[in-house]
Amino acid sequence: MKLTILGCYSATPRALTNTTSQVLEINNHMFLIDCGEGTQIHLRKNKIKFNRIKHVFISHLHGDHFFGLVGLISTFRLLTREADLHIYGPEGIKEIVTLQMKLADSWTNYNLIFHELKSNTSELIFDDESVEVYTIPLNHRVYTNGFLFKEKEGDLRLDIDAVEEAHIDLAYYRKLKQGFDVVNEKGELIKNKTVTLPGAKPKSYAFCSDTMYKEDIVPIINKVDVLYHESTFLEKHADLAPKTKHSTAKEAARIAKKAKAGILLLGHYSTRYDGLNAFKEEAQEIFENVELCEDGKVFEF
């Protein structure tokens, strides 16, 4: 599981800071999460191949989370993209995007497939043989979701010594990995559990975009391996959090602790602060395993 932070600051892009956008690589998928202004530039800087992005998840319709989307869609068109592009976001995102395409007479030569969201409860929005994606309903000034990405159970691993000792033909290895009992070269039935080992533990990632402290998301993200949670403010400006429906670093840490998360990633910092160390220090008063997101930083888990 690899996470590339393209931007992790709030409000507006500046010379040295970018607004929210991330790329999550998990089980051969490359998911784009939010698409702040200039996202396509940062994709290029980070050498991320445009054609691998087939699914875009937009948390909410504030500009610092989606203003880069139309530009990215347009660039895909100019690059003669052919693959479908799926966009998951709040109700209204289709109207916003297609209106700009219409007025610019710039319709795409590939399929844009919109999945508009309006539920206030968590729902499954993407599902294939290897990954599930659920919404995480948040509490912001407009309708907002986070997203939970979960790997499915993978194949079993072969205990090669046991397999060879049981005289099982190579042709049956795939069946063993899928959990089947097989017949060996002597015609004997070999029980699967005697020659296999558990597969790798599935990993999970929760992206909690703009939100005020919302404890009822904890059951949805319980025991998540990696939690990104917005941390717009430090404690000295905690009074601004409920007014703007954002969170502090300490509030993000409380959510991580209650959810028994493995790692907490902080981001969406207010640009009023000169440095980031205080965010980590304040969060670690409550939850120890804290990392700071920074533009261009890559995490591998």
Side-chain angles (χ1 to χ4, degrees), residues 20 22 205-209 226-230 265-268 293:
T20 303
Q22 306 179 357
Y205 174 66
F207 171 83
C208 290
S209 178
V226 184
L227 168 63
Y228 168 89
H229 195 291
E230 76 118 288
L265 304 183
L266 299 179
H268 201 264
C293 288

Side-chain angles (χ1 to χ4, degrees), residues 212-225:
M212 63 185 298
Y213 183 78
K214 193 172 190 284
E215 206 168 288
D216 62 6
I217 68 171
V218 168
I220 301 171
I221 61 174
N222 187 47
K223 295 184 179 177
V224 69
D225 291 301

Side-chain angles (χ1 to χ4, degrees), residues 44-158:
R44 291 187 188 278
K45 284 181 178 178
N46 287 276
K47 296 180 169 58
I48 293 171
K49 294 181 179 179
F50 285 7
N51 61 1
R52 287 196 60 202
I53 297 171
K54 295 180 173 62
H55 301 271
V56 180
F57 297 85
I58 301 296
S59 61
H60 64 294
L61 297 180
H62 279 164
D64 54 336
H65 295 261
F66 89 100
F67 274 174
L69 182 58
V70 170
L72 186 63
I73 289 170
S74 178
T75 294
F76 284 168
R77 169 181 171 269
L78 294 172
L79 295 175
T80 64
R81 179 190 178 101
E82 295 180 357
D84 295 350
L85 183 67
H86 292 261
I87 299 172
Y88 306 78
E91 191 172 31
I93 194 166
K94 180 178 180 179
E95 180 182 2
I96 290 171
V97 171
T98 55
L99 178 62
Q100 294 191 63
M101 298 287 114
K102 175 184 175 182
L103 294 178
D105 192 19
S106 299
W107 297 110
T108 61
N109 52 332
Y110 58 92
N111 293 322
L112 276 178
I113 303 168
F114 292 91
H115 305 262
E116 294 198 307
L117 309 173
K118 56 184 178 180
S119 175
N120 289 312
T121 58
S122 180
E123 58 180 341
L124 178 66
I125 59 172
F126 175 85
D127 185 16
D128 72 1
E129 68 279 357
S130 62
V131 177
E132 297 174 323
V133 184
Y134 295 84
T135 57
I136 306 169
L138 300 175
N139 184 0
H140 192 42
R141 300 192 305 277
V142 296
Y143 176 78
T144 305
N145 284 301
F147 302 103
L148 174 63
F149 301 83
K150 297 176 67 175
E151 283 185 321
K152 292 185 177 180
E153 291 281 349
D155 286 345
L156 297 169
R157 293 179 294 134
L158 299 183

Side-chain angles (χ1 to χ4, degrees), residues 225-238:
D225 291 301
V226 184
L227 168 63
Y228 168 89
H229 195 291
E230 76 118 288
S231 54
T232 306
F233 299 111
L234 295 173
E235 282 304 295
K236 62 185 177 182
H237 294 118

